[in-house]
C-alpha cells in the first residue's frame, strides 16, 4: 500500500524496452527524467509499483536489483524473474512498450565495496544481473572470480552488453553436499585479501559462508551476503 507522505518521492518512467531473455527472465528498460538526479553506485535496488499508485493506493510494491544505469539517457534496466508466478511475474509478462511505470528512488542495500584487490562472486541464478552490474563497476586492475550455479542452463542470460563475463555451472541438485563439492572444485586460490559477495536463499548463504570461512581461513577481508529467494528454483 502506498504511503501518502511519500508521494513526492515516487519516480515515473516509460518502458522503452521489454523482452524475454531467458526461460524465466524478462529484461525491462525504463526511461525517466527523475533519474537525472540519481547518485548512482553499483548495487542499488529499487521498489517498483505493480500498478499506478495514484489511482490505486493499495497497489503492491516489489523490490528489484538494478542491472544497469545509463545517466546520459536517464535509463535504468532490470532483469525480472518469473520463477514462482507471483504478482511480479504477472506484471512483467503484461508490460507493454510505452507503459508508464512508477517506482521509488533506488537505494543501497548491498553496494560495491571497493576496499579489496580481489573479488569473489558466488550465488544462484537469481544473483546474475546483480553480479553483472558489480562486475562492470569493479576496476579492471582488480581480479574478479565468480561462481554462479543453476539447475537449468536455459536460465542463463548475457550481460547488458551481450557478453558472458561470469562463470556459470550446472548443478542438478542444490543439496548441501553438492554445493560444497562445487565450491571445492571451482573456488580460486586468493593471493590477496578478498571481498566476497554471496547471494542466494538463506540456507545457501549460511552454508556457503561457513564453508568460505573454513576454506580461506584469514584470506577473506569481508563477506557480504544478501538473500534474494527462499524457495527452490523451478525447471
Amino acid at each position: 500500500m502506498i504511503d501518502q507522505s511519500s508521494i513526492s518521492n515516487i519516480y515515473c518512467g516509460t518502458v522503452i524496452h521489454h523482452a524475454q531473455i531467458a526461460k524465466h527472465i524478462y529484461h525491462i528498460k525504463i526511461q525517466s527524467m527523475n533519474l537525472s538526479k540519481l547518485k548512482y553506485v553499483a548495487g542499488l535496488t529499487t521498489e517498483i509499483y505493480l500498478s499506478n499508485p495514484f489511482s490505486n493506493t493499495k497497489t503492491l510494491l516489489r523490490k528489484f536489483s538494478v542491472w544497469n544505469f545509463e545517466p546520459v539517457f536517464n535509463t535504468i534496466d532490470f532483469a525480472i524473474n518469473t520463477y514462482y508466478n507471483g504478482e511480479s511475474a504477472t506484471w512483467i509478462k503484461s508490460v507493454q512498450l510505452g507503459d508508464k511505470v512508477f517506482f521509488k528512488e533506488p537505494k543501497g542495500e548491498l553496494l560495491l565495496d571497493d576496499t579489496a584487490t580481489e573479488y569473489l562472486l558466488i550465488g544462484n541464478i537469481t544473483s546474475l544481473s546483480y553480479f553483472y552490474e558489480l562486475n562492470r563497476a569493479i576496476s579492471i586492475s582488480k581480479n574478479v572470480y565468480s561462481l554462479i550455479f543453476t539447475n537449468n542452463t536455459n536460465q542463463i542470460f548475457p550481460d547488458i552488453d551481450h557478453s558472458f563475463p561470469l562463470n556459470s555451472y550446472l548443478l542438478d541438485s542444490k543439496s548441501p553436499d553438492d554445493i560444497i563439492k562445487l565450491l571445492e572444485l571451482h573456488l580460486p586460490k586468493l593471493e590477496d585479501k578478498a571481498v566476497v559477495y554471496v547471494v542466494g536463499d538463506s540456507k545457501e548463504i549460511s552454508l556457503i559462508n561457513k564453508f568460505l570461512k573454513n576454506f580461506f581461513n584469514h584470506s577473506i577481508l569481508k563477506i557480504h551476503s544478501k538473500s534474494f529467494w527462499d524457495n527452490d528454483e523451478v525447471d
Side-chain angles (χ1 to χ4, degrees):
M1 181 180 293
I2 186 173
D3 180 356
Q4 295 295 327
S5 64
S6 65
I7 286 179
S8 61
N9 295 322
I10 296 176
Y11 288 16
C12 178
T14 302
V15 176
I16 62 172
H17 179 79
H18 175 264
Q20 185 171 4
I21 57 174
K23 188 172 183 180
H24 296 288
I25 302 292
Y26 284 78
H27 173 202
I28 185 172
K29 183 188 292 286
I30 300 168
Q31 187 171 51
S32 171
M33 287 304 298
N34 295 116
L35 294 170
S36 62
K37 58 185 178 182
L38 178 64
K39 295 181 179 179
Y40 188 72
V41 180
L44 292 178
T45 62
T46 192
E47 291 180 288
I48 297 179
Y49 292 94
L50 302 189
S51 62
N52 187 334
F54 298 102
S55 58
N56 177 13
T57 58
K58 295 183 178 180
T59 185
L60 298 174
L61 274 168
R62 291 293 183 266
K63 186 179 293 184
F64 302 104
S65 295
V66 176
W67 182 11
N68 186 58
F69 171 62
E70 178 48 69
V72 175
F73 301 105
N74 294 314
T75 59
I76 195 166
D77 297 81
F78 302 93
I80 297 176
N81 74 62
T82 61
Y83 294 128
Y84 309 116
N85 293 315
E87 296 288 346
S88 61
T90 301
W91 170 77
I92 191 60
K93 291 177 182 179
S94 67
V95 167
Q96 302 290 322
L97 293 179
D99 283 356
K100 296 296 182 184
V101 175
F102 299 87
F103 56 101
K104 290 187 176 182
E105 179 183 357
K107 300 290 186 180
E109 288 191 354
L110 196 59
L111 301 177
L112 177 63
D113 182 336
D114 63 358
T115 61
T117 57
E118 292 191 315
Y119 292 84
L120 178 57
L121 313 178
I122 304 175
N124 66 29
I125 196 64
T126 63
S127 69
L128 193 53
S129 64
Y130 169 74
F131 281 158
Y132 277 154
E133 176 69 346
L134 288 190
N135 180 64
R136 277 184 274 112
I138 295 171
S139 170
I140 60 174
S141 65
K142 299 183 178 183
N143 296 323
V144 180
Y145 305 99
S146 56
L147 196 160
I148 314 299
F149 53 89
T150 178
N151 63 355
N152 190 331
T153 55
N154 289 334
Q155 297 171 354
I156 301 170
F157 57 93
D159 197 3
I160 202 81
D161 61 357
H162 308 294
S163 67
F164 289 89
L166 304 181
N167 296 318
S168 300
Y169 301 90
L170 183 63
L171 191 63
D172 292 331
S173 167
K174 294 207 304 179
S175 70
D177 286 345
D178 285 344
I179 292 176
I180 293 302
K181 288 178 181 177
L182 187 71
L183 295 174
E184 290 175 336
L185 282 172
H186 298 291
L187 283 180
K189 293 182 179 179
L190 301 177
E191 296 181 358
D192 299 301
K193 289 187 178 297
V195 167
V196 182
Y197 288 83
V198 181
V199 173
D201 66 40
S202 56
K203 292 180 180 179
E204 291 168 353
I205 289 174
S206 177
L207 174 71
I208 294 170
N209 284 355
K210 182 178 180 180
F211 176 82
L212 291 176
K213 290 176 181 178
N214 291 328
F215 185 85
F216 288 114
N217 197 6
H218 298 296
S219 298
I220 294 178
L221 180 62
K222 295 178 183 176
I223 299 178
H224 300 295
S225 304
K226 184 175 183 180
S227 178
F228 279 8
W229 296 98
D230 282 318
N231 296 291
D232 290 335
E233 296 175 46
V234 296
D235 295 330

